[in-house]
């Protein structure tokens, strides 16, 4: 029985990712996951707490009341082994390492031509309206290619690798070429996957991005096309080693499912499957959520919930905090 508790605790030490429903703050997601984890652990067969002998003080009663003190032996539970006492897992250290590593993330950005706002989102204060009938998909793709070329030069600048070396060639082929240390936000992939003016959808791969940076990318694309554009929604489809298929939906926020997800991540590390991946189509298409004005100062890196036992990279459909 004790071995079952030990396996459960050890199985929860690691990383896993969950799918955040639209409009739900990531803190609520974290609290729900923690509650389900505790429920799953408490549903295990209870292990009797070990007993220890303690000498407890008492009084000697006389005719006129207490006449003195005495000690009597008693068996009491050892609180250090009580099932409600939880330990801290190793997931926090791993998620800290994940943030310090320049991993790339994939996003789907929804944009709309025709107006500009003060915060680059469609819910901001409108500061300009423009025409967009002259914009074609061919023109849009030329602008995207130009932006990707500029960012490719920035990536080489921060990579601190001799571009004429064999090392640089192998890193480029494997997709692991990235900045050496902290860098400015960099786009490593950018393409249009839907064009229905005034609406368009972009698929983006980037490093060290922030919320404002992604919105500004859409804004600058509009300016390059002699128009304006705002960002209407964002969906994260990959965060480093975690893809959208790895994200646990709400009905799978259970101790058993989380333990299996952590085990898959640990197995992928053992077999050397943790690497950068390229933008690709996703078979899972959750509903796109609009940006939320109540948290527009938060950065995307805040979408990682850290609990006492596990660290949870959360796939956000918007910039909810």
């Amino acid at each position: 029985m004790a071995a079952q508790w030990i396996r459960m605790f050890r199985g929860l030490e690691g990383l896993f990712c969950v799918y955040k429903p639209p409009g739900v703050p990531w803190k609520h997601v974290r609290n729900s996951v923690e509650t389900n984890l505790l429920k799953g652990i408490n549903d295990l067969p209870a292990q009797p707490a070990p007993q220890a002998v303690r000498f407890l003080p008492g009084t000697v009663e006389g005719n006129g009341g207490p006449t003195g003190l005495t000690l009597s032996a008693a068996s009491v539970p050892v609180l250090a082994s009580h099932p409600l006492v939880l330990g801290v897992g190793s997931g926090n250290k791993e998620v800290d390492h994940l943030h310090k590593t320049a991993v790339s993330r994939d996003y789907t950005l929804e944009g709309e031509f025709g107006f500009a706002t003060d915060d680059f989102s469609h819910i901001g204060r409108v500061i300009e309206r423009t025409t967009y009938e002259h914009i074609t998909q061919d023109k849009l793709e030329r602008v995207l290619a130009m932006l990707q070329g500029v960012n490719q030069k920035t990536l080489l600048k921060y990579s601190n690798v001799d571009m004429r070396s064999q090392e640089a060639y192998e890193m480029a082929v494997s997709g692991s070429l990235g900045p050496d240390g902290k860098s400015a936000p960099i786009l490593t992939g950018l393409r249009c996957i839907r064009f229905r003016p005034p609406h368009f959808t972009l698929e983006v791969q980037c490093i060290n991005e922030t919320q404002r940076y992604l919105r500004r990318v859409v804004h600058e694309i509009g300016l390059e096309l002699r128009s304006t554009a705002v960002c209407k929604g964002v969906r994260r489809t990959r965060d480093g080693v975690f893809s959208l298929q790895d994200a646990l939906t709400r009905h799978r926020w259970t101790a058993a499912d989380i333990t299996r997800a952590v085990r898959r991540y640990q197995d992928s590390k053992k077999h050397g499957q943790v690497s950068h991946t390229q933008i690709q189509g996703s078979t899972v298409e959750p509903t796109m959520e609009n940006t939320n004005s109540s948290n527009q100062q938060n950065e995307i890196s805040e979408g990682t919930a850290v609990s006492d036992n596990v660290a949870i990279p959360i796939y956000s459909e918007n910039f909810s905090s």
Side-chain angles (χ1 to χ4, degrees):
M1 190 177 297
Q4 188 175 5
W5 283 78
I6 294 174
R7 286 196 300 270
M8 172 65 77
F9 278 116
R10 289 180 177 175
L12 292 174
E13 291 187 351
L15 301 183
F16 63 98
C17 97
V18 300
Y19 169 74
K20 187 182 76 64
V24 179
W26 70 265
K27 291 183 179 180
H28 292 183
V29 172
R30 180 191 62 189
N31 293 339
S32 297
V33 171
E34 290 179 343
T35 300
N36 289 344
L37 283 176
L38 293 175
K39 183 178 183 299
I41 294 173
N42 290 332
D43 286 342
L44 293 175
Q47 177 185 4
Q51 300 291 311
V53 176
R54 295 288 186 270
F55 291 95
L56 304 180
T59 59
V60 178
E61 297 291 337
N63 294 332
T67 59
L69 296 177
T70 184
L71 294 177
S72 59
S75 181
V76 296
V78 179
L79 295 182
S81 301
H82 195 277
L84 294 182
V85 179
L86 302 179
V88 178
S90 62
N92 292 339
K93 295 181 181 179
E94 293 192 46
V95 79
D96 183 62
H97 173 74
L98 183 67
H99 279 303
K100 291 180 180 178
T101 305
V103 298
S104 60
R105 300 181 180 91
D106 293 353
Y107 292 90
T108 301
L109 306 182
E110 292 286 350
E112 181 177 352
F113 293 117
F115 65 103
T117 62
D118 56 350
D119 62 357
F120 312 132
S121 75
H122 76 294
I123 55 178
R125 181 174 59 87
V126 177
I127 58 177
E128 184 180 4
R129 293 190 179 275
T130 57
T131 60
Y132 57 85
E133 290 79 8
H134 62 284
I135 301 176
T136 63
Q137 185 169 357
D138 183 62
K139 291 180 180 179
L140 173 59
E141 290 178 347
R142 285 202 297 267
V143 169
L144 298 182
M146 180 270 296
L147 289 177
Q148 189 167 346
V150 172
N151 279 267
Q152 185 66 25
K153 294 181 180 178
T154 305
L155 178 63
L156 299 178
K157 172 185 175 182
Y158 284 101
S159 63
N160 197 25
V161 177
D162 185 359
M163 291 298 105
R164 297 169 295 180
S165 65
Q166 180 67 19
E167 178 188 7
Y169 172 77
E170 293 176 353
M171 292 177 65
V173 170
S174 64
S176 60
L177 186 64
D180 182 17
K182 190 64 177 177
S183 71
I186 301 175
L187 295 176
T188 58
L190 183 62
R191 67 188 182 100
C192 177
I193 59 175
R194 188 175 70 94
F195 183 75
R196 295 179 182 176
H199 305 286
F200 61 98
T201 305
L202 304 178
E203 200 170 40
V204 179
Q205 188 178 33
C206 45
I207 300 174
N208 295 333
E209 77 289 342
T210 64
Q211 172 191 349
R212 186 175 179 82
Y213 172 76
L214 289 176
R215 294 204 310 263
R216 191 179 185 90
V217 167
V218 176
H219 171 75
E220 291 180 350
I221 289 173
L223 296 181
E224 290 292 336
L225 291 168
R226 302 296 187 269
S227 182
T228 52
V230 295
C231 182
K232 296 194 65 177
V234 174
R235 182 176 69 232
R236 186 186 302 178
T237 57
R238 186 177 61 83
D239 190 340
V241 300
F242 296 102
S243 68
L244 193 61
Q245 287 74 20
D246 298 319
L248 301 179
T249 52
R250 178 177 293 182
H251 70 280
R252 296 178 59 198
W253 295 351
T254 63
D257 285 315
I258 291 173
T259 301
R260 285 192 289 268
V262 171
R263 188 180 301 118
R264 285 196 300 269
Y265 171 76
Q266 294 171 342
D267 290 342
S268 67
K269 291 199 303 179
K270 292 180 181 178
H271 293 85
Q273 297 174 357
V274 177
S275 62
H276 296 275
T277 58
Q278 300 298 322
I279 287 180
Q280 56 185 0
S282 173
T283 58
V284 181
E285 296 183 357
T287 305
M288 179 66 64
E289 175 87 3
N290 291 334
T291 53
N292 192 331
S293 61
S294 64
N295 48 34
Q296 292 170 358
Q297 299 301 320
N298 297 329
E299 296 188 355
I300 292 176
S301 59
E302 294 179 351
T304 301
V306 180
S307 68
D308 291 337
N309 295 92
V310 289
I312 313 166
I314 293 180
Y315 280 72
S316 302
E317 290 190 7
N318 59 6
F319 295 106
S320 295
S321 59

